[in-house]
Amino acid sequence: MKAFSILYLAVVATVMSSCTKDFQKINTNNNSPSTTRPEYHFTEAITQTAYAYQENAFDRRPAALGRYITLVRNNDYEDFRWTAVDWNDIYTRAMIIKTMQQEAVTTSQPVYVATGNILMAFNICYLTDLYGDAPYSQALQSVSTGNIKPAYDKQQDIYMSLLQLLKDANLQLKTSGTGIDANADALYAGKALQWRKLANSLRLRMLMRCSKVYANAFSDMQEIINNSDLYPIFTSNTDNAEVIYQGVKKDDSWPGGAKNMIDADFAKTKASKELVDVLLQRNDPRLAVWVAPVATTTGSTVDHNQYVGVPHALTNPADYNGGETHQSVFSSFFRQDKATGLKASFMIYSEVCFILAEAVQTGKVSVPAKTAESLYHDGIEASMDYYGVKAQAVSQAYYDSPLVKYDGTQKQLIIQKWLAMLFRGSEGWFDFRRTGFPQFVVGPAAFQPVFPVRYGWPTSEPNVNYDSYKAAIAVFGPDDINTKMWYLK
């Protein structure tokens, strides 16, 4: 028995030795590597960020608060009957970016750390622009440190960190910007210079946004303007940071197209009265591109124009002007799953023009060979060109019309910027709450007499992150849609 046992063990040992010698090789699935390359997450981070940002801009609160759309059914957005808004989607994108950067370090591809920082800054900036104070420095650490209850950072601290992150990313790409996989780069096809332009243009956006309370905002802007080699920015529509829509499935199709929005939802999304009236008053050639004429003017009870926008926060908005056949929806241009003119944008050249125009208008910034008036004109022209009506604007003397001809006021400038920012993130709402322009009014059936200035923190926070949530309230103020964040005070 003993001899048998020894023999048995020897045979087992021999067999086990032969089995385990190539164990790792034969049990490795080459189609599911344990370490992935950053290029894969790079594409995902770009497209998910762009598509989510654009979807917000077209049929969510930002579109209603920016007074672009009016919903004639289920219109709680413009009635201001808001509940708290979840932020998991933003943190999910941030985690994808962080994973990509970790992979970039492992595979010695620092270019994806730098571009990742631009994407991270974009997402976290949008987060704090919506909510104010939010978890940042301790966020995304559940795996690395086990911290699932991150503290909230002050918006001021988040902004200063992100501004530096963008500045550093630009410099990193200047010195070591090679190696971006053009096939993986859904935004700029591997062009590091374009990523640098985006980083510095985003800095201009952020600096203008916080210029009321950040003492160095305009001097930082001037530093960017003074050195275009070190700090390149957008200079034409070819620099626009946009991702195309494939139009193949719901997730890669324009939010207003048939794959995302059923006919009834598109029909209830009316052009706002503010938008249509401003376009009509200026005889703006973008009107016919953006807005559909009413089905009929016969039987209209209030507005007999061919284009009719619907006011916000009415008791029965579907009945306005004699019913929905007498109200304008958006044009078929916005009803496609994909089109040359429909892209998911991070930022466009027109916005940069208006930011610079406003900065020069304050007298605290100068732009070589430019004036506030010429930059204002550049911003309008870039938008007209984008929508294919540049020649029409010139032929009908649009720029010399009384309401368009430059008058040196912030009001006029922001109105034109607001038009150019149609369905561009939350820029229309953010500029309104910062400047008061355009001078939107609260509708008669609104739940409160003032416009909300932020999203409420997610309802899950008091349950899963109570101590940090209460500490944030003590610093930030009530978790209310009317509590002003740092740069609005």
Side-chain angles (χ1 to χ4, degrees), residues 150-339:
Y152 286 55
D153 293 79
K154 296 178 182 178
Q155 184 182 61
Q156 180 178 2
D157 295 337
I158 297 174
Y159 249 62
M160 295 304 104
S161 176
L162 297 183
L163 285 167
Q164 189 63 49
L165 199 65
L166 289 168
K167 186 176 185 178
D168 291 345
N170 166 67
L171 297 177
Q172 289 160 4
L173 289 172
K174 179 176 173 58
T175 57
S176 56
T178 59
I180 303 175
D181 187 330
N183 292 322
D185 185 355
L187 192 59
Y188 284 131
K191 300 179 182 69
L193 177 59
Q194 297 302 112
W195 280 95
R196 293 178 59 205
K197 288 183 178 183
L198 174 58
N200 295 311
S201 297
L202 287 173
R203 285 178 64 201
L204 292 177
R205 172 193 281 179
M206 293 178 64
L207 288 167
M208 179 55 72
R209 192 158 289 158
C210 69
S211 60
K212 179 181 177 181
V213 293
Y214 176 44
N216 295 330
F218 291 114
S219 60
D220 286 356
M221 292 177 76
Q222 192 67 63
E223 179 186 34
I224 295 171
I225 295 164
N226 287 348
N227 196 335
S228 59
D229 178 62
L230 190 60
Y231 302 114
I233 60 174
F234 291 176
T235 56
S236 74
N237 277 333
T238 60
D239 294 324
N240 291 345
E242 299 178 302
V243 176
I244 64 171
Y245 283 100
Q246 302 293 334
V248 176
K249 57 185 186 297
K250 180 177 180 178
D251 292 343
D252 63 17
S253 297
W254 172 261
K259 287 185 173 65
N260 274 303
M261 186 177 283
I262 62 175
D263 292 343
D265 286 334
F266 190 83
K268 76 179 182 183
T269 306
K270 309 299 184 183
S272 75
K273 181 173 174 58
E274 288 95 334
L275 177 66
V276 173
D277 285 359
V278 166
L279 292 168
L280 283 171
Q281 290 161 4
R282 289 156 180 78
N283 191 26
D284 196 302
R286 290 169 292 190
L287 172 64
V289 178
W290 293 345
V291 182
V294 297
T296 176
T297 58
T298 303
S300 298
T301 59
V302 178
D303 190 334
H304 302 283
N305 282 306
Q306 186 180 12
Y307 296 93
V308 177
V310 180
H312 286 87
L314 298 179
T315 303
N316 297 300
D319 296 335
Y320 176 74
N321 201 40
E324 293 189 54
T325 57
H326 307 289
Q327 303 170 359
S328 287
V329 296
F330 285 93
S331 73
S332 58
F333 178 78
F334 295 111
R335 189 62 180 132
Q336 305 172 74
D337 289 317
K338 63 174 293 186

Side-chain angles (χ1 to χ4, degrees), residues 48-73:
Q48 285 200 14
T49 296
Y51 292 159
Y53 191 59
Q54 189 63 64
E55 192 267 346
N56 259 236
F58 184 74
D59 60 356
R60 301 295 181 185
R61 289 172 181 82
L65 266 290
R67 289 316 204 209
Y68 295 123
I69 67 170
T70 300
L71 298 174
V72 295
R73 294 185 292 280

Side-chain angles (χ1 to χ4, degrees), residues 38 69 133 147 162 172 238 297 317 355-356 396 427 435 473 486:
I69 67 170
D133 295 1
N147 183 5
L162 297 183
Q172 289 160 4
T238 60
T297 58
I355 290 170
L356 294 176
Q396 66 185 49
E427 295 310 304
T435 69
I473 289 175
W486 163 67

Side-chain angles (χ1 to χ4, degrees), residues 9-27:
L9 291 175
V11 171
V12 169
T14 302
V15 173
M16 288 299 293
S17 175
S18 64
C19 287
T20 59
K21 183 169 62 175
D22 296 319
F23 181 82
Q24 184 171 354
K25 179 180 178 181
I26 66 176
N27 284 280

